[in-house]
Amino acid sequence: MYLVVEQLLNGLQFGLLLFLLAAGLTLVFGIMDFVNLAHGSLYMMGAYFAATFVAWTGSFVLGALLALGATLLLGIALEYVALRHLYGRDHLDQVLATFGLILFFNDAVRLIWGPAGLALPLPTWLTVPVQIIPGVYYPAYRLMIIVVALAVAALLYLVVMRTRVGMLIRAGASNREMIGALGINIKLLFTLVFGLGAALAGLAGLMQAPILTVQIGMGENILILAFVIIVIGGIGSIRGAFMAALFVGIIDTMGRAFLPDLLRKVLSGAAASTAAPALSSMLIYLLMAIILVMRPEGLFPAAKR
């Protein structure tokens, strides 16, 4: 029982990290109609910035804030210098251009930080276990990820659904030509949306950095899951990204935790350990395929306005 609770919390934590990545991706895709394969590179850069700034300042919180700001500025600069010239172009052009950016960022990281991975140590106050319920202890840092991600999700919902900027974002998703005709600076709006997406990706990267090694290409595999999430939830839907990310995070985590024991009944130990992660991924992709066939707009499509 305790193990199930712990793995559910791990799935919730992983799902919320996926939401931070997928939310920025679905905003850019749904509003700007832009396919950005380099979104995972911004996730990677957030992790590298965090490792660097924490080492420079000696403070985890200050380093994380600086990394978040640096990723935001990087995203704005990237949109202004390169990506805005691809708006309105064919999706194939966007895919090829942003794939080139993946290669650029990987080589830039190799040049600046070297090929070896980096570690981001946690402060002592985040390494202690916290008692969730009697008999169940959970790492303080993973608990902090859950709290921060839920707070960011709530703030993002309020911004998109309850503010004038959010109204413009939703209007831009529905009819960008009309809000441009009304005198809204559509280029500035797109820059803000892309910067917000970059900041969310950077936040996911810097929070994942102490759990995994910060390394070149770390954003590429997780980007695939982010695309799966926006397909399941619905392109342009923050609510859809949130719900789908929780589904995917819990399915992936529970599958990796419990499938090996089930598979050992018919396979050897080594084969079961190898097959379990692949089977978990297959279940997620099967869910995506079923939704594409039965409900191609996603489970929670963005409201039409």
Side-chain angles (χ1 to χ4, degrees):
M1 178 62 184
Y2 293 158
L3 179 60
V4 172
V5 173
E6 182 180 356
Q7 293 304 323
L8 280 174
L9 287 172
N10 286 338
L12 176 63
Q13 175 250 306
F14 183 50
L16 288 171
L17 276 178
L18 289 174
F19 164 72
L20 293 177
L21 187 65
L25 188 62
T26 198
L27 282 174
V28 171
F29 197 0
I31 294 171
M32 301 159 64
D33 192 29
F34 187 85
V35 182
N36 180 24
L37 295 186
H39 196 69
S41 295
L42 295 170
Y43 166 90
M44 175 183 69
M45 294 305 298
Y48 270 95
F49 284 146
T52 301
F53 288 133
V54 169
W56 284 357
T57 63
S59 168
F60 181 83
V61 175
L62 180 58
L65 291 175
L66 290 174
L68 186 60
T71 312
L72 171 65
L73 293 177
L74 176 62
I76 291 174
L78 183 64
E79 191 276 341
Y80 181 81
V81 172
L83 299 185
R84 66 169 48 183
H85 304 292
L86 298 170
Y87 298 156
R89 300 279 291 272
D90 186 84
H91 283 166
L92 179 59
D93 294 338
Q94 298 169 358
V95 166
L96 292 174
T98 52
F99 178 74
L101 286 174
I102 293 176
L103 302 179
F104 169 80
F105 278 114
N106 286 345
D107 284 340
V109 166
R110 186 176 288 106
L111 179 65
I112 297 171
W113 284 280
L118 301 180
L120 178 54
L122 287 171
T124 305
W125 58 277
L126 283 176
T127 60
V128 297
V130 176
Q131 186 171 353
I132 305 298
I133 57 175
V136 177
Y137 289 84
Y138 198 66
Y141 181 69
R142 289 181 181 267
L143 190 62
M144 188 200 74
I145 290 177
I146 293 174
V147 173
V148 171
L150 286 174
V152 171
L155 180 61
L156 183 62
Y157 175 82
L158 291 176
V159 169
V160 172
M161 302 303 295
R162 295 289 186 267
T163 66
R164 185 173 184 273
V165 172
M167 178 188 68
L168 294 176
I169 290 174
R170 288 181 283 119
S174 178
N175 193 327
R176 73 181 72 177
E177 291 80 9
M178 180 59 71
I179 66 168
L182 292 174
I184 304 300
N185 189 336
I186 191 70
K187 289 185 178 180
L188 178 60
L189 177 64
F190 279 8
T191 300
L192 292 176
V193 170
F194 194 89
L196 175 61
L200 291 172
L203 178 61
L206 71 89
M207 288 199 299
Q208 186 76 320
I211 299 175
L212 302 176
T213 301
V214 181
Q215 59 187 344
I216 297 169
M218 62 181 292
E220 294 164 20
N221 290 333
I222 200 170
L223 180 66
I224 298 174
L225 284 179
F227 273 111
V228 170
I229 286 166
I230 66 174
V231 169
I232 293 174
I235 295 173
S237 172
I238 297 297
R239 181 183 61 153
F242 182 81
M243 298 303 297
L246 294 186
F247 290 159
V248 170
I250 290 174
I251 290 173
D252 184 79
T253 302
M254 299 297 282
R256 292 172 185 271
F258 297 109
L259 278 178
D261 291 335
L262 295 176
L263 292 176
R264 286 191 186 98
K265 298 181 183 298
V266 294
L267 298 174
S268 66
S273 299
T274 303
L279 186 55
S280 298
S281 299
M282 286 176 61
L283 290 174
I284 294 170
Y285 297 141
L286 178 61
L287 174 63
M288 181 187 70
I290 292 172
I291 290 172
L292 278 174
V293 173
M294 304 297 295
R295 192 178 172 88
E297 70 274 17
L299 293 178
F300 307 95
K304 301 297 182 183
R305 300 181 183 271

